[in-house]
Amino acid sequence: MARLYVLLFAVQIVLAVCALISCLSAEEGEIKALPRIAWVLIILFFPLLGSLAWFAAGRERVPGRPTGETPKGRILPSRERPRPVAPDDDPEFLRSLGERSRREDQELFRRWEEDLRRREDDMRRRDGEPPREEDRPEGSTPGA
């Protein structure tokens, strides 16, 4: 029997803590019937009844306004869309990262190819061979 009382006491404390957190984090317009300080005092002095009263009558539920995320399939107009909180939440930023990375990779690859051609030409010149035809710029001749 003592275990049951301990369990019920723990449930009461958890419920009171959740109610306090909910009360203290609620927006001013979402609290109804009493001021916030009155709700906090009721929850502290009467943990079980105060917590139940807070969840039943203290918070105002705004109809049509979803709590948390928007329902799936509902597209918000641009003025109602929540702004990205962090850069990695912004699709335009992520797209620009991909484009920038692709451009940097292409530039790096181009520089590597130029360096490789230059080194091959240097090796051929050392060995006395003329540079390959496909490496020469258009319009140039071997003796010019």
Side-chain angles (χ1 to χ4, degrees):
M1 194 68 171
R3 290 181 189 168
L4 180 63
Y5 289 135
V6 170
L7 179 66
L8 290 176
F9 180 74
V11 168
Q12 175 183 346
I13 296 300
V14 168
L15 184 64
V17 168
C18 290
L20 274 173
I21 291 171
S22 175
C23 180
L24 294 173
S25 64
E27 296 291 329
E28 199 62 41
E30 295 175 350
I31 300 174
K32 61 182 189 178
L34 296 171
R36 182 186 317 259
I37 188 69
W39 279 114
V40 169
L41 292 175
I42 290 172
I43 294 169
L44 287 176
F45 289 128
F46 309 103
L48 183 60
L49 293 177
S51 301
L52 294 175
W54 164 253
F55 287 120
R59 295 185 348 180
E60 182 176 328
R61 300 269 185 210
V62 179
R65 181 177 170 199
T67 57
E69 296 184 0
T70 60
K72 292 186 186 217
R74 181 175 174 222
I75 299 174
L76 295 174
S78 62
R79 68 181 183 279
E80 291 182 23
R81 266 189 218 134
R83 294 183 52 99
V85 177
D88 60 345
D89 293 338
D90 188 2
E92 293 175 20
F93 176 75
L94 294 175
R95 195 174 312 114
S96 71
L97 281 180
E99 292 171 4
R100 185 173 65 186
S101 175
R102 187 174 23 87
R103 281 193 309 260
E104 289 173 355
D105 289 347
Q106 288 174 347
E107 177 63 24
L108 182 62
F109 184 67
R110 185 187 60 77
R111 279 190 264 144
W112 283 349
E113 284 182 330
E114 288 175 1
D115 186 50
L116 181 63
R117 285 188 187 116
R118 183 183 50 78
R119 289 175 186 224
E120 286 178 347
D121 285 345
D122 289 346
M123 286 177 58
R124 283 194 176 87
R125 284 189 191 105
R126 261 189 302 157
D127 294 340
E129 298 176 21
R132 292 187 301 183
E133 288 294 322
E134 61 268 7
D135 291 343
R136 290 190 193 140
E138 291 182 25
S140 66
T141 56

